[in-house]
Amino acid sequence: MDKKEIETKIKELKHKLNAVILAHNYQIPDVQDIADFVGDSLGLSMKAMETDAEVIVFCGVDFMAESAKILNPDKIVVHPDKKAQCPMAAMVDVESLGWFKDKNPQAVVVAYVNTTADVKAVTDVCCTSSNAIKVIKSVKEKDVIFIPDTNLGLYVKRFIHDKNLILWPGICPTHHRISEEEILEIKKQHQNAEIIVHPECRPEVIDIADHVFSTQGMVNYVSKADSKEFIIGTEKELCYRLKKENLDKTFYSLKSAVCPNMKRITLEKVLKSMKSLEPKVELSETTIEKAKLPLQRMIDIGRGD
Ligand code: 13P
Ligand code: SF4
């Protein structure tokens, strides 16, 4: 089947199943193009909550598809490739978090949404890169265990001085790889370009940025900015959406910024999963019940950028 035929079949099935296709900003262009909604982690969770579709086809990594299921326990959520997993989310598990909590019994646990459903179930409130500062400011406790992204935690520390943030030693391999050298090399060639980076980047990279945003924060910012050129310090596929929505502007992506897990979802896999309604996201009722609380608290707090 060629691409056009696959797209037609996906559209037919979408109608027949009453399905919605949600895709993260890092998905490959073909997948972004057939999605009903493309967004960041917070936007996707919000969309998953609002939808009246009976089937959610989730194009992103595991923790995002799990969040859609937690927020929609009665709906079918399919994740076209179960191997599309976020390595950072795998850097914290329930047992190790338990030891950390025992050592800091007075602390509240704020979980970046890049965590598994099992881990969310033993935390107090979730956040995304778009509202981490807002969420941490909102908690009453002085001591906050923040899991699992050290770089995001260090970024938040720049804005919050009245809390003791206890950071987990996790990182996103894709963002941690981004270097100041790579960015400054592009800046040398394009001196008018604004540097915009994701808060999962290392502190040295944050230091040279003009702005720090979640992926949707970047989309929102560049559409209103006067500048015509931007160096984008996040997974390079976001530039596909930025170019598509801002034809008069130029975006420079970084060669090193690739998340191979996000690339596992293809049009063929989307079609296959819609035909078979497999693989489904399956979680126990108890996990859903417990993990829903921190996710709901995060959604109630809303966007921060
Ligand atoms: P956003 O919520 O900013 O889209 O980030 C998700 C993510 O996985 C970044 O690596
Ligand atoms: Fe996980 Fe990093 Fe990929 Fe985002 S870019 S899904 S944090 S590995």
Side-chain angles (χ1 to χ4, degrees):
M1 248 191 278
D2 68 16
K3 190 177 145 192
K4 272 267 153 298
E5 286 172 304
I6 299 177
E7 284 173 348
T8 309
K9 289 253 177 275
I10 289 175
K11 277 184 198 142
E12 282 167 13
L13 275 171
K14 219 165 67 171
H15 191 67
K16 192 170 147 207
L17 297 167
N18 184 19
V20 66
I21 303 179
L22 305 182
H24 187 263
N25 284 319
Y26 298 160
Q27 289 293 289
I28 60 169
D30 286 354
V31 172
Q32 291 193 31
D33 287 345
I34 45 107
D36 296 294
F37 177 80
V38 182
D40 67 355
S41 314
L42 184 61
L44 290 164
S45 291
M46 286 171 160
K47 270 281 163 214
M49 266 202 86
E50 288 163 13
T51 184
D52 50 17
E54 287 162 75
V55 175
I56 298 175
V57 182
F58 203 100
C59 304
V61 286
D62 53 352
F63 74 83
M64 297 176 176
E66 283 187 347
S67 296
K69 180 67 185 175
I70 295 164
L71 296 166
N72 288 282
D74 301 330
K75 291 185 179 163
I76 294 175
V77 179
V78 289
H79 184 207
D81 187 338
K82 283 251 176 199
K83 289 195 187 134
Q85 296 171 349
C86 170
M88 173 157 65
M91 288 178 193
V92 53
D93 59 59
V94 173
E95 200 184 4
S96 332
L97 178 57
W99 296 331
F100 224 65
K101 283 166 79 169
D102 288 347
K103 274 211 237 155
N104 302 281
Q106 75 295 353
V108 68
V109 181
V110 178
Y112 192 25
V113 74
N114 301 41
T115 41
T116 63
D118 288 338
V119 167
K120 284 188 179 79
V122 292
T123 65
D124 298 293
V125 58
C126 288
C127 71
T128 71
S129 56
S130 125
N131 63 6
I133 297 169
K134 204 171 166 190
V135 167
I136 294 174
K137 274 189 179 164
S138 79
V139 300
K140 297 189 302 293
E141 290 80 354
K142 184 171 168 49
D143 294 313
V144 179
I145 297 174
F146 182 70
I147 58 167
D149 189 11
T150 293
N151 286 336
L152 177 59
L154 290 172
Y155 175 65
V156 169
K157 270 192 177 185
R158 296 178 186 223
F159 300 90
I160 300 183
H161 306 291
D162 60 343
K163 302 226 182 265
N164 173 31
L165 249 69
I166 307 158
L167 304 182
W168 192 266
I171 48 115
C172 159
T174 302
H175 286 86
H176 203 68
R177 239 186 341 259
I178 295 175
S179 68
E180 314 92 275
E181 290 78 17
E182 189 177 1
I183 293 178
L184 293 175
E185 196 48 49
I186 302 177
K187 179 81 179 175
K188 242 199 261 167
Q189 322 287 327
H190 308 282
Q191 299 197 359
N192 293 327
E194 284 189 48
I195 302 173
I196 307 179
V197 307
H198 196 276
E200 286 177 14
C201 291
R202 287 184 290 108
E204 309 85 275
V205 171
I206 303 276
D207 287 342
I208 59 160
D210 296 305
H211 299 285
V212 181
F213 289 123
S214 72
T215 58
Q216 189 61 40
M218 293 184 190
V219 171
N220 298 345
Y221 174 76
V222 304
S223 70
K224 294 194 206 100
D226 293 330
S227 300
K228 293 284 177 217
E229 291 177 276
F230 304 87
I231 299 167
I232 301 298
T234 193
E235 214 281 342
K236 67 193 232 332
E237 220 71 81
L238 178 70
C239 288
Y240 173 71
R241 178 165 175 206
L242 295 176
K243 283 176 190 157
K244 196 168 148 182
E245 295 180 8
N246 301 275
L247 295 173
D248 59 330
K249 297 183 179 173
T250 307
F251 301 94
Y252 305 107
S253 61
L254 306 179
K255 279 197 197 76
S256 68
V258 178
C259 174
N261 291 281
M262 284 283 183
K263 306 288 170 276
R264 294 190 74 96
I265 314 277
T266 59
L267 273 189
E268 288 81 0
K269 288 181 191 169
V270 171
L271 177 59
K272 194 169 169 218
S273 71
M274 289 176 86
K275 278 182 178 163
S276 59
L277 289 182
E278 293 291 347
K280 288 188 186 63
V281 178
E282 319 243 32
L283 297 168
S284 76
E285 260 178 53
T286 325
T287 304
I288 290 181
E289 208 178 295
K290 290 187 179 161
K292 192 166 183 168
L293 283 170
L295 264 179
Q296 186 64 57
R297 286 185 188 127
M298 168 187 88
I299 289 170
D300 293 344
I301 291 170
R303 292 205 85 82
D305 64 16

